[in-house]
Each structure stands twice: as structure tokens, then as C-alpha cells.
Amino acid sequence: MKRIFILWIGVLLMGCSEELTKQSAPAVSVPVVSQTSLIVLGNLQDAGAPQLGCQKSCCVHKIDNPNPLDAVVSLGLVDSNTQKNYLFEATPDISKQLAWLQKANPGSGPIPAGIFLTHAHIGHYSGLMHLGKEAASTKSVPVYVMPRMDQFLRTNAPWSALSENNNISLQRMDSTKVDLSGELRVTPILVPHRDEYSETVGYHIVGPNKSALFIPDIDKWKLWQESITDWIGKVDYAFLDATFYSGDELGGRDMSQIPHPSIEESMALFDSLTDTLKSRVNFIHFNHTNPALDPSSEATKTILNKGYNIAQPLQVFAL
């Protein structure tokens, strides 16, 4: 009787295993990067999608039909000459994003050679927790930060434990370039944003042949001391804040408390650019309510018809 019971349990376990296999999500196909490149590792706003507490159809659909590619805004940088990877932003989705980055650069390891942070809002640095002793327990991962961000991470628990335990090595930047190799450099650029805990930067990323601008968060283009249209003319790719498509997207919420240049505002500013310059714009950092996340929406059609681009997860941009 005991033997029969054990066999019965074994059959049940085998059945569960088969059922779990059937229900598992489809595998994500990550492109292998053969030259120094940027790869989009996420295009969503800090809280991702679906968002906590959201009862709108955009969230209900994603709860019922989860997309394995959904992830908070991040770029990966593959240095093909050194086989090293770098990460821009440490998001809540850092585990799968670093797994994707390693698959894109098979000669690399699972931990990046460095992480560049833009500011202290939850979607942009909270993934650092996965480097701590409760998770990967990494050793001295360089994390590049501006002075206020450096101070914030050193003096506030639990982030301070990452430095104290030598999981990360904070690399304090100013506004000068960081040379990663002879052909690869990164320069932080201060931008106006809600700087409650740290300053906010974008990044100018220069590779062997091409360059990119990464500004996932900014309050308004007109508040910046520099010209975004001039910057679009200087780079080959511009990954720009596209949190909201329009100013009335949140149904009456006071947008002055969460200022971003809407996509409509940005397109109005950029519409005088040549078609070549427009094609350099890649909108990124979409709120869960942004209709541009729906490839069949009128918002998406308008963006693409005007000559702009929507940054897609795992899209590769050669540098």
C-alpha cells in the first residue's frame, strides 16, 4: 500500500511538472550583439505595467495577458572590444534585464562592469537591492552617480548597506566624461526634474562610430538650459522622455505635480526638424496609461507617420 501511495504521488508530481511547462510563458528571443551597441532593456515608466491599483482596461488587459518583454526603462551597453556590459538604470526589473544583457553578449558575465544612474526615483535605482546580500551579493560593482545621488545612497538605509558591505563601489561623477575604453565614453548632463533626493542627469553615450542621448526624465524641454533640438542634431539616436502622450491622460490629476514633456508637446517642438533628424528620436519611458504602448492606437500611428520612433524592448542600436 505504501509503495502504491508513493507511485501515486510521483504521478501527481509528474503531472504538475508537465502542466507547469504547458503554462510557462514563451521564451524571450534576445538578439546576439556582435558590435559595440546599445540595447533597449525596458521602455516603461518607473512603476511598470500593469500598475498597482490601476483598474483601467490597459492594466486589466496586461494582468490577463502579461507580456514578458514589459520592463521599466533601461538601456544596456555592450562593449564588443572588451566583452563588458554596462547598464543604464537599476530598475525593479533588473534581474531579467541583466539576463537579457548577458544573452546579448554571450562572452560576458551576469554582472555588469558598471551601472549608470540618472536619479533617485524608484524605477531608476531601486533595482540596486538585488546586488545586496539577500540576493546576488555582488562584489564592488561600480555604480556611477552624481554628488547628491552619491550622498543619498551612502547615508540612507538600506542603500547604505550596499556600500558598507562592498556590494557596490560608488563612483562619484561630475559633468565630465567617463572613459570606459579607448572608443567608448559616457558623459552625464544635468537636466531639470523633481530633485527631491538627488540631482537628475541624462547621458551622452559615444561609441566608435555613433553616439546617443538618453534622457528618460525631464520636467520640460523649455526649462533646460540646453537645446534639445540642437542635441538631436549632434547625436545619431535620442532616447527621450515620453511618459505621457497628452496632458489630460490621467483624468484630472494635477499634472503640474508630475511635469513631463508630453509626446504631443515634443512633436510640436520637433516638427520643424528635417525628416533625417526626426528619425533620430526614439520615445521611451511610457506611463502605463500612454496609448503609444498600443501598436494599433491612433497615438502610435501619429508618432510613426510623423517620422519618429517608439523604442522597443530588445531593439539594438549600433554605436
PDB file of all heavy atoms in Angstrom, residues 31-54:
ATOM      1  N   PRO A  31      18.432  39.123 -29.171  1.00  0.00           N
ATOM      2  CA  PRO A  31      19.399  39.176 -30.276  1.00  0.00           C
ATOM      3  C   PRO A  31      20.834  39.178 -29.755  1.00  0.00           C
ATOM      4  O   PRO A  31      21.141  39.791 -28.732  1.00  0.00           O
ATOM      5  CB  PRO A  31      19.068  40.499 -30.973  1.00  0.00           C
ATOM      6  CG  PRO A  31      18.443  41.343 -29.906  1.00  0.00           C
ATOM      7  CD  PRO A  31      17.685  40.390 -29.027  1.00  0.00           C
ATOM      8  N   VAL A  32      21.724  38.472 -30.432  1.00  0.00           N
ATOM      9  CA  VAL A  32      23.138  38.481 -30.086  1.00  0.00           C
ATOM     10  C   VAL A  32      23.784  39.697 -30.737  1.00  0.00           C
ATOM     11  O   VAL A  32      23.624  39.931 -31.941  1.00  0.00           O
ATOM     12  CB  VAL A  32      23.830  37.183 -30.551  1.00  0.00           C
ATOM     13  CG1 VAL A  32      25.334  37.262 -30.304  1.00  0.00           C
ATOM     14  CG2 VAL A  32      23.238  35.985 -29.825  1.00  0.00           C
ATOM     15  N   VAL A  33      24.493  40.472 -29.944  1.00  0.00           N
ATOM     16  CA  VAL A  33      25.097  41.721 -30.412  1.00  0.00           C
ATOM     17  C   VAL A  33      26.566  41.462 -30.741  1.00  0.00           C
ATOM     18  O   VAL A  33      27.329  41.029 -29.884  1.00  0.00           O
ATOM     19  CB  VAL A  33      24.968  42.819 -29.336  1.00  0.00           C
ATOM     20  CG1 VAL A  33      25.666  44.085 -29.783  1.00  0.00           C
ATOM     21  CG2 VAL A  33      23.496  43.093 -29.031  1.00  0.00           C
ATOM     22  N   SER A  34      26.949  41.720 -31.969  1.00  0.00           N
ATOM     23  CA  SER A  34      28.309  41.417 -32.408  1.00  0.00           C
ATOM     24  C   SER A  34      29.219  42.641 -32.452  1.00  0.00           C
ATOM     25  O   SER A  34      30.418  42.511 -32.654  1.00  0.00           O
ATOM     26  CB  SER A  34      28.275  40.768 -33.805  1.00  0.00           C
ATOM     27  OG  SER A  34      27.665  41.634 -34.745  1.00  0.00           O
ATOM     28  N   GLN A  35      28.655  43.826 -32.282  1.00  0.00           N
ATOM     29  CA  GLN A  35      29.469  45.041 -32.261  1.00  0.00           C
ATOM     30  C   GLN A  35      29.014  45.938 -31.126  1.00  0.00           C
ATOM     31  O   GLN A  35      27.936  45.747 -30.563  1.00  0.00           O
ATOM     32  CB  GLN A  35      29.351  45.771 -33.596  1.00  0.00           C
ATOM     33  CG  GLN A  35      27.933  46.176 -33.971  1.00  0.00           C
ATOM     34  CD  GLN A  35      27.859  46.845 -35.327  1.00  0.00           C
ATOM     35  OE1 GLN A  35      28.624  47.744 -35.633  1.00  0.00           O
ATOM     36  NE2 GLN A  35      26.938  46.385 -36.171  1.00  0.00           N
ATOM     37  N   THR A  36      29.852  46.893 -30.772  1.00  0.00           N
ATOM     38  CA  THR A  36      29.513  47.806 -29.682  1.00  0.00           C
ATOM     39  C   THR A  36      28.160  48.456 -29.963  1.00  0.00           C
ATOM     40  O   THR A  36      27.975  49.083 -31.008  1.00  0.00           O
ATOM     41  CB  THR A  36      30.605  48.864 -29.511  1.00  0.00           C
ATOM     42  OG1 THR A  36      31.838  48.212 -29.176  1.00  0.00           O
ATOM     43  CG2 THR A  36      30.243  49.853 -28.426  1.00  0.00           C
ATOM     44  N   SER A  37      27.226  48.277 -29.039  1.00  0.00           N
ATOM     45  CA  SER A  37      25.836  48.695 -29.290  1.00  0.00           C
ATOM     46  C   SER A  37      25.111  49.010 -27.998  1.00  0.00           C
ATOM     47  O   SER A  37      25.519  48.589 -26.908  1.00  0.00           O
ATOM     48  CB  SER A  37      25.066  47.571 -30.007  1.00  0.00           C
ATOM     49  OG  SER A  37      25.654  47.203 -31.222  1.00  0.00           O
ATOM     50  N   LEU A  38      24.014  49.733 -28.150  1.00  0.00           N
ATOM     51  CA  LEU A  38      23.031  49.879 -27.094  1.00  0.00           C
ATOM     52  C   LEU A  38      21.887  48.917 -27.359  1.00  0.00           C
ATOM     53  O   LEU A  38      21.529  48.680 -28.516  1.00  0.00           O
ATOM     54  CB  LEU A  38      22.478  51.305 -27.053  1.00  0.00           C
ATOM     55  CG  LEU A  38      23.434  52.403 -26.598  1.00  0.00           C
ATOM     56  CD1 LEU A  38      22.838  53.774 -26.891  1.00  0.00           C
ATOM     57  CD2 LEU A  38      23.759  52.263 -25.113  1.00  0.00           C
ATOM     58  N   ILE A  39      21.311  48.366 -26.307  1.00  0.00           N
ATOM     59  CA  ILE A  39      20.133  47.519 -26.444  1.00  0.00           C
ATOM     60  C   ILE A  39      19.084  48.000 -25.446  1.00  0.00           C
ATOM     61  O   ILE A  39      19.390  48.254 -24.272  1.00  0.00           O
ATOM     62  CB  ILE A  39      20.473  46.028 -26.224  1.00  0.00           C
ATOM     63  CG1 ILE A  39      19.219  45.154 -26.379  1.00  0.00           C
ATOM     64  CG2 ILE A  39      21.182  45.786 -24.906  1.00  0.00           C
ATOM     65  CD1 ILE A  39      19.509  43.664 -26.439  1.00  0.00           C
ATOM     66  N   VAL A  40      17.872  48.196 -25.920  1.00  0.00           N
ATOM     67  CA  VAL A  40      16.786  48.655 -25.054  1.00  0.00           C
ATOM     68  C   VAL A  40      16.350  47.503 -24.157  1.00  0.00           C
ATOM     69  O   VAL A  40      15.942  46.449 -24.648  1.00  0.00           O
ATOM     70  CB  VAL A  40      15.596  49.171 -25.892  1.00  0.00           C
ATOM     71  CG1 VAL A  40      14.450  49.598 -24.969  1.00  0.00           C
ATOM     72  CG2 VAL A  40      16.024  50.326 -26.783  1.00  0.00           C
ATOM     73  N   LEU A  41      16.435  47.699 -22.858  1.00  0.00           N
ATOM     74  CA  LEU A  41      16.066  46.661 -21.889  1.00  0.00           C
ATOM     75  C   LEU A  41      14.732  46.940 -21.207  1.00  0.00           C
ATOM     76  O   LEU A  41      14.266  46.130 -20.413  1.00  0.00           O
ATOM     77  CB  LEU A  41      17.168  46.513 -20.838  1.00  0.00           C
ATOM     78  CG  LEU A  41      18.545  46.101 -21.372  1.00  0.00           C
ATOM     79  CD1 LEU A  41      19.570  46.085 -20.243  1.00  0.00           C
ATOM     80  CD2 LEU A  41      18.481  44.731 -22.054  1.00  0.00           C
ATOM     81  N   GLY A  42      14.119  48.046 -21.525  1.00  0.00           N
ATOM     82  CA  GLY A  42      12.812  48.397 -20.967  1.00  0.00           C
ATOM     83  C   GLY A  42      12.404  49.759 -21.454  1.00  0.00           C
ATOM     84  O   GLY A  42      13.255  50.621 -21.708  1.00  0.00           O
ATOM     85  N   ASN A  43      11.083  49.975 -21.602  1.00  0.00           N
ATOM     86  CA  ASN A  43      10.620  51.277 -22.105  1.00  0.00           C
ATOM     87  C   ASN A  43       9.484  51.865 -21.275  1.00  0.00           C
ATOM     88  O   ASN A  43       8.850  52.834 -21.691  1.00  0.00           O
ATOM     89  CB  ASN A  43      10.191  51.171 -23.574  1.00  0.00           C
ATOM     90  CG  ASN A  43       8.979  50.282 -23.799  1.00  0.00           C
ATOM     91  OD1 ASN A  43       8.434  49.693 -22.859  1.00  0.00           O
ATOM     92  ND2 ASN A  43       8.535  50.182 -25.047  1.00  0.00           N
ATOM     93  N   LEU A  44       9.235  51.291 -20.084  1.00  0.00           N
ATOM     94  CA  LEU A  44       8.110  51.734 -19.260  1.00  0.00           C
ATOM     95  C   LEU A  44       8.533  52.719 -18.181  1.00  0.00           C
ATOM     96  O   LEU A  44       9.698  52.765 -17.772  1.00  0.00           O
ATOM     97  CB  LEU A  44       7.436  50.527 -18.604  1.00  0.00           C
ATOM     98  CG  LEU A  44       6.833  49.490 -19.544  1.00  0.00           C
ATOM     99  CD1 LEU A  44       6.315  48.293 -18.756  1.00  0.00           C
ATOM    100  CD2 LEU A  44       5.712  50.103 -20.380  1.00  0.00           C
ATOM    101  N   GLN A  45       7.557  53.482 -17.691  1.00  0.00           N
ATOM    102  CA  GLN A  45       7.753  54.392 -16.564  1.00  0.00           C
ATOM    103  C   GLN A  45       8.053  53.583 -15.303  1.00  0.00           C
ATOM    104  O   GLN A  45       7.836  52.367 -15.246  1.00  0.00           O
ATOM    105  CB  GLN A  45       6.495  55.261 -16.411  1.00  0.00           C
ATOM    106  CG  GLN A  45       6.532  56.282 -15.303  1.00  0.00           C
ATOM    107  CD  GLN A  45       5.931  55.778 -13.993  1.00  0.00           C
ATOM    108  OE1 GLN A  45       5.426  54.673 -13.910  1.00  0.00           O
ATOM    109  NE2 GLN A  45       6.023  56.593 -12.957  1.00  0.00           N
ATOM    110  N   ASP A  46       8.517  54.247 -14.269  1.00  0.00           N
ATOM    111  CA  ASP A  46       9.043  53.620 -13.053  1.00  0.00           C
ATOM    112  C   ASP A  46       8.217  52.457 -12.508  1.00  0.00           C
ATOM    113  O   ASP A  46       8.763  51.437 -12.068  1.00  0.00           O
ATOM    114  CB  ASP A  46       9.171  54.658 -11.929  1.00  0.00           C
ATOM    115  CG  ASP A  46      10.072  55.815 -12.292  1.00  0.00           C
ATOM    116  OD1 ASP A  46      10.013  56.292 -13.447  1.00  0.00           O
ATOM    117  OD2 ASP A  46      10.834  56.262 -11.428  1.00  0.00           O
ATOM    118  N   ALA A  47       6.900  52.607 -12.492  1.00  0.00           N
ATOM    119  CA  ALA A  47       6.042  51.608 -11.850  1.00  0.00           C
ATOM    120  C   ALA A  47       5.623  50.491 -12.783  1.00  0.00           C
ATOM    121  O   ALA A  47       4.869  49.589 -12.387  1.00  0.00           O
ATOM    122  CB  ALA A  47       4.811  52.274 -11.243  1.00  0.00           C
ATOM    123  N   GLY A  48       6.089  50.530 -14.021  1.00  0.00           N
ATOM    124  CA  GLY A  48       5.819  49.448 -14.952  1.00  0.00           C
ATOM    125  C   GLY A  48       4.369  49.370 -15.382  1.00  0.00           C
ATOM    126  O   GLY A  48       3.604  50.322 -15.278  1.00  0.00           O
ATOM    127  N   ALA A  49       3.980  48.204 -15.879  1.00  0.00           N
ATOM    128  CA  ALA A  49       2.599  47.961 -16.324  1.00  0.00           C
ATOM    129  C   ALA A  49       2.330  46.460 -16.249  1.00  0.00           C
ATOM    130  O   ALA A  49       3.173  45.674 -16.682  1.00  0.00           O
ATOM    131  CB  ALA A  49       2.403  48.469 -17.747  1.00  0.00           C
ATOM    132  N   PRO A  50       1.203  46.061 -15.676  1.00  0.00           N
ATOM    133  CA  PRO A  50       0.156  46.895 -15.085  1.00  0.00           C
ATOM    134  C   PRO A  50       0.653  47.569 -13.803  1.00  0.00           C
ATOM    135  O   PRO A  50       1.586  47.083 -13.163  1.00  0.00           O
ATOM    136  CB  PRO A  50      -0.959  45.890 -14.778  1.00  0.00           C
ATOM    137  CG  PRO A  50      -0.235  44.598 -14.571  1.00  0.00           C
ATOM    138  CD  PRO A  50       0.911  44.626 -15.533  1.00  0.00           C
ATOM    139  N   GLN A  51       0.036  48.669 -13.453  1.00  0.00           N
ATOM    140  CA  GLN A  51       0.462  49.434 -12.290  1.00  0.00           C
ATOM    141  C   GLN A  51      -0.454  49.151 -11.098  1.00  0.00           C
ATOM    142  O   GLN A  51      -1.662  48.941 -11.266  1.00  0.00           O
ATOM    143  CB  GLN A  51       0.459  50.925 -12.605  1.00  0.00           C
ATOM    144  CG  GLN A  51       1.300  51.741 -11.641  1.00  0.00           C
ATOM    145  CD  GLN A  51       1.535  53.157 -12.132  1.00  0.00           C
ATOM    146  OE1 GLN A  51       0.997  54.105 -11.585  1.00  0.00           O
ATOM    147  NE2 GLN A  51       2.328  53.300 -13.196  1.00  0.00           N
ATOM    148  N   LEU A  52       0.138  49.135  -9.925  1.00  0.00           N
ATOM    149  CA  LEU A  52      -0.600  48.867  -8.696  1.00  0.00           C
ATOM    150  C   LEU A  52      -1.823  49.777  -8.570  1.00  0.00           C
ATOM    151  O   LEU A  52      -1.715  50.997  -8.708  1.00  0.00           O
ATOM    152  CB  LEU A  52       0.324  49.073  -7.486  1.00  0.00           C
ATOM    153  CG  LEU A  52      -0.299  48.869  -6.106  1.00  0.00           C
ATOM    154  CD1 LEU A  52      -0.690  47.410  -5.908  1.00  0.00           C
ATOM    155  CD2 LEU A  52       0.670  49.306  -5.006  1.00  0.00           C
ATOM    156  N   GLY A  53      -2.982  49.171  -8.325  1.00  0.00           N
ATOM    157  CA  GLY A  53      -4.202  49.922  -8.107  1.00  0.00           C
ATOM    158  C   GLY A  53      -4.921  50.341  -9.360  1.00  0.00           C
ATOM    159  O   GLY A  53      -6.031  50.887  -9.289  1.00  0.00           O
ATOM    160  N   CYS A  54      -4.336  50.102 -10.517  1.00  0.00           N
ATOM    161  CA  CYS A  54      -4.955  50.520 -11.780  1.00  0.00           C
ATOM    162  C   CYS A  54      -6.071  49.558 -12.164  1.00  0.00           C
ATOM    163  O   CYS A  54      -5.852  48.345 -12.257  1.00  0.00           O
ATOM    164  CB  CYS A  54      -3.898  50.573 -12.882  1.00  0.00           C
ATOM    165  SG  CYS A  54      -4.571  50.911 -14.527  1.00  0.00           S
TER     166      CYS A  54
END
